Amino acid sequence: MNPVISVNEIFKTYGRTRAVDGVSFQVQEGEIFGMVGPNGAGKTTTIECVEGLRAADCGQIKVLGLDPVKQERQLRPLLGIQLQQAHLPDNLKVWEALDLYASFYDRTVDWEQLLVELGLEEKRTAAFRKLSGGQQQRLFIALALINDPQLVFLDELTTGLDPHARHAIWDLVEEVRERGKTVFLTTHYMEEAEQLCDRVAIMDNGKIVALDTPANLINGLGISERVIFRVAGDWDYAGLESHPRVERVECDGDKRVVYGKSNGSVNPATIVTEVVNALTAGGIQFSDLRTEHPDLEDVFLTLTGRQLREERSA
């Protein structure tokens, strides 16, 4: 099967900054492919090179078998693109935006039906400035689909949305794939990539540091769940740390995090039981005990040595 997107050793430099540093990957037909990483990792520059909005300094890119720069006119009608910094005139009405974008293409879908399918029918005559953040993003998805593209690009689609709106957009992305489209998305929300993507490329400092399914990336850590709690007073946890089912124990003030090993045969409740038994046997008072399972945030931390959450808030 020929890939929908094929990228081979592309580079892009701005002054002394190498934004994209030898990136290679492929995207297969019908998948949701995610590119994740912190702001400044090179995600947007990479996707813009693939879209043909920027020219890579060197390397090769093929999209639907075409060169996105040299064959831009043939390729553009086959793509649906939602840009990271998308905006429309404040007073432009929803129906006007869809009607305007439909005029740009020879082939379009029924945008009236798109309004219904994307939950915007009641906002048909509303001005862009009157839409909520989630409704604006729904409109941008509609504009990206209006030419019935084979391949849809979604760049940081849910940035700035509240959790409820973000989950609603996730549902829409899955519906886009159900339409038979291939989706290429970028995000700095690891939980978004884990929820939506068939495969994920993790970018850091212009390079792809890992590429696989979310499950394989997480399982590759060799860590099962972690138990988090707070303790009153000192606690010698050396005995627990040497337990064969415990990977390591971390301390931060009165906070303790116990990481369990993943060997495919340990019941997830086992580590919790071991921790509680150890605390009880030692007469240690504890509170706020909870469990967490490893996720793509842990993968990023392992690969780069820093928390993506910290990168987002920096």
Side-chain angles (χ1 to χ4, degrees):
M1 180 184 297
N2 292 327
V4 174
I5 298 173
S6 179
V7 177
N8 185 33
E9 286 291 307
I10 65 167
F11 293 80
K12 186 66 180 178
T13 302
Y14 302 104
R16 297 182 178 180
T17 302
R18 180 163 284 178
V20 180
D21 190 4
V23 165
S24 300
F25 63 91
Q26 293 184 340
V27 177
Q28 303 301 324
E29 183 178 2
E31 74 174 334
I32 299 178
F33 182 89
M35 184 164 281
V36 303
N39 292 327
K43 305 185 306 296
T44 294
T45 299
T46 298
I47 197 173
E48 288 181 348
C49 288
V50 174
E51 293 165 342
L53 299 178
R54 297 181 187 271
D57 296 336
C58 59
Q60 186 180 57
I61 302 174
K62 290 291 185 181
V63 180
L64 299 171
L66 301 172
D67 184 304
V69 174
K70 296 179 181 179
Q71 297 173 290
E72 185 267 345
R73 288 197 174 186
Q74 297 101 301
L75 182 61
R76 185 64 59 209
L78 307 177
L79 306 181
I81 299 175
Q82 173 268 328
L83 300 173
Q84 182 176 353
Q85 300 295 332
H87 195 75
L88 292 171
D90 285 345
N91 292 323
L92 188 69
K93 294 180 174 59
V94 169
W95 77 267
E96 291 174 330
L98 288 162
D99 190 55
L100 175 64
Y101 272 62
S103 70
F104 298 157
Y105 300 98
D106 294 329
R107 175 187 175 185
T108 62
V109 299
D110 180 359
W111 59 259
E112 294 277 8
Q113 185 61 30
L114 273 182
L115 283 177
V116 176
E117 294 175 358
L118 297 182
L120 290 171
E121 188 176 23
E122 294 183 357
K123 297 295 180 179
R124 187 182 191 282
T125 60
F128 179 77
R129 62 184 171 84
K130 294 290 188 180
L131 302 178
S132 67
Q135 290 166 345
Q136 289 180 0
Q137 294 297 56
R138 287 171 182 264
L139 176 56
F140 289 132
I141 291 176
L143 296 176
L145 294 176
I146 202 162
N147 59 316
D148 194 23
Q150 296 180 36
L151 174 60
V152 180
F153 292 93
L154 304 174
D155 192 7
E156 301 286 0
L157 182 64
T158 62
T159 297
L161 299 185
D162 61 61
H164 177 76
R166 182 174 298 124
H167 281 79
I169 295 297
W170 291 358
D171 290 340
L172 287 178
V173 173
E174 292 178 336
E175 290 174 12
V176 169
R177 194 252 293 275
E178 290 173 2
R179 290 169 172 261
K181 314 302 182 187
T182 302
V183 179
F184 185 153
L185 65 84
T186 70
T187 181
H188 58 254
Y189 294 111
M190 289 295 191
E191 65 272 24
E192 183 164 284
E194 191 172 338
Q195 172 72 25
L196 290 176
C197 297
D198 300 299
R199 290 188 302 135
V200 174
I202 298 179
M203 284 199 75
D204 189 41
N205 295 321
K207 295 178 179 291
I208 291 180
V209 296
L211 197 166
D212 209 331
T213 66
N216 285 345
L217 289 171
I218 293 168
N219 291 337
L221 292 175
I223 298 174
S224 60
E225 68 176 353
R226 52 183 172 260
V227 184
I228 304 169
F229 56 94
R230 298 187 181 277
V231 297
D234 295 329
W235 175 43
D236 181 7
Y237 54 83
L240 183 60
E241 193 171 36
S242 62
H243 193 283
R245 291 172 178 156
V246 173
E247 176 71 23
R248 68 182 186 275
V249 180
E250 293 181 356
C251 300
D252 182 11
D254 65 347
K255 180 181 175 181
R256 303 289 186 271
V257 183
V258 179
Y259 290 82
K261 291 181 180 178
S262 177
N263 59 19
S265 62
V266 178
N267 187 310
T270 301
I271 301 302
V272 179
T273 303
E274 299 290 348
V275 170
V276 172
N277 287 344
L279 291 168
T280 303
I284 303 299
Q285 295 182 351
F286 62 93
S287 60
D288 300 332
L289 187 144
R290 68 184 190 278
T291 62
E292 291 182 353
H293 291 278
D295 54 22
L296 286 180
E297 292 273 1
D298 296 296
V299 175
F300 183 81
L301 174 61
T302 300
L303 293 172
T304 68
R306 65 181 186 272
Q307 291 277 5
L308 185 60
R309 295 183 183 93
E310 295 171 358
E311 292 288 327
R312 290 205 300 263
S313 61

